[in-house]
Amino acid sequence: DWIISTLRASIVEMRRILRALKPVNLQKMGLVDAIRKIAEDYTYNCGIPVLLQTSDGITSLGQKAESVLYRAVNESLNNARKHSGASSVKVSLQADSSEFVLTVEDNGRGFSSSEASQKHGLGLSGLRDSVAAAGGEFELVSAPQNGTRVSVRFPVRGVT
């Protein structure tokens, strides 16, 4: 009982620390290059190819929004690795005059909305909250045998 209790407390503390960490690569490289690095590392470490597509002229979105987008890529790729059985993932960061849109889509097994509501991790629910707090919109689309798509949108005005 003591070991289990200590382990649970350690997990809670580790999650707190990880949430508090600032993404160093994002600060050093900028958003597009940091996402490119995540995609390259994921492909190398997991053996699952990531196709990265970005539009030209993506400028700074502000620290808070960029941090959320960076974490969205990390969380989505982590979920694809752990849960989806995907053989490929597509990451897209597009910008136009009105909005920035990040999409991470895998070709894995997908899940039903009832499966998602039964899970109690920090992952997607925490990401949804972070996106909303930064002034963006979060969308999750998944269905059994049809993969999963996570989209995060930030309007050009009001990006923080």
Side-chain angles (χ1 to χ4, degrees):
D1 287 339
W2 176 84
I3 291 172
I4 291 171
S5 174
T6 302
L7 181 58
R8 285 186 178 147
S10 297
I11 289 170
V12 168
E13 180 64 12
M14 181 61 72
R15 286 180 175 167
R16 186 194 64 74
I17 291 168
L18 290 173
R19 280 192 304 264
L21 289 176
K22 292 187 178 188
V24 175
N25 282 344
L26 178 59
Q27 293 173 344
K28 289 195 298 190
M29 305 169 126
L31 180 63
V32 174
D33 288 337
I35 289 175
R36 183 173 289 112
K37 175 79 170 122
I38 293 170
E40 289 170 357
D41 289 350
Y42 180 84
T43 298
Y44 178 79
N45 293 324
C46 301
I48 301 171
V50 176
L51 172 64
L52 176 62
Q53 298 176 329
T54 61
S55 62
D56 293 333
I58 294 178
T59 59
S60 177
L61 309 176
Q63 183 179 11
K64 194 172 189 179
E66 287 186 1
S67 180
V68 168
L69 292 172
Y70 182 86
R71 288 193 173 105
V73 173
N74 267 327
E75 180 63 28
S76 298
L77 290 177
N78 187 44
N79 285 342
R81 178 186 58 79
K82 289 189 338 187
H83 306 296
S84 79
S87 62
S88 67
V89 181
K90 178 180 163 188
V91 176
S92 171
L93 181 60
Q94 304 297 315
D96 61 28
S97 62
S98 63
E99 68 181 353
F100 295 91
V101 181
L102 169 73
T103 305
V104 182
E105 188 169 7
D106 70 54
N107 66 350
R109 66 175 126 300
F111 55 90
S112 68
S113 58
S114 63
E115 285 178 279
S117 65
Q118 293 171 3
K119 302 196 185 224
H120 300 287
L122 293 174
L124 292 174
S125 64
L127 181 57
R128 181 183 307 273
D129 294 344
S130 296
V131 169
E137 296 176 14
F138 176 88
E139 180 183 37
L140 173 67
V141 177
S142 189
Q145 307 309 315
N146 286 320
T148 300
R149 184 179 72 238
V150 172
S151 298
V152 177
R153 296 176 182 277
F154 282 102
V156 168
R157 292 185 192 140
V159 171
T160 58

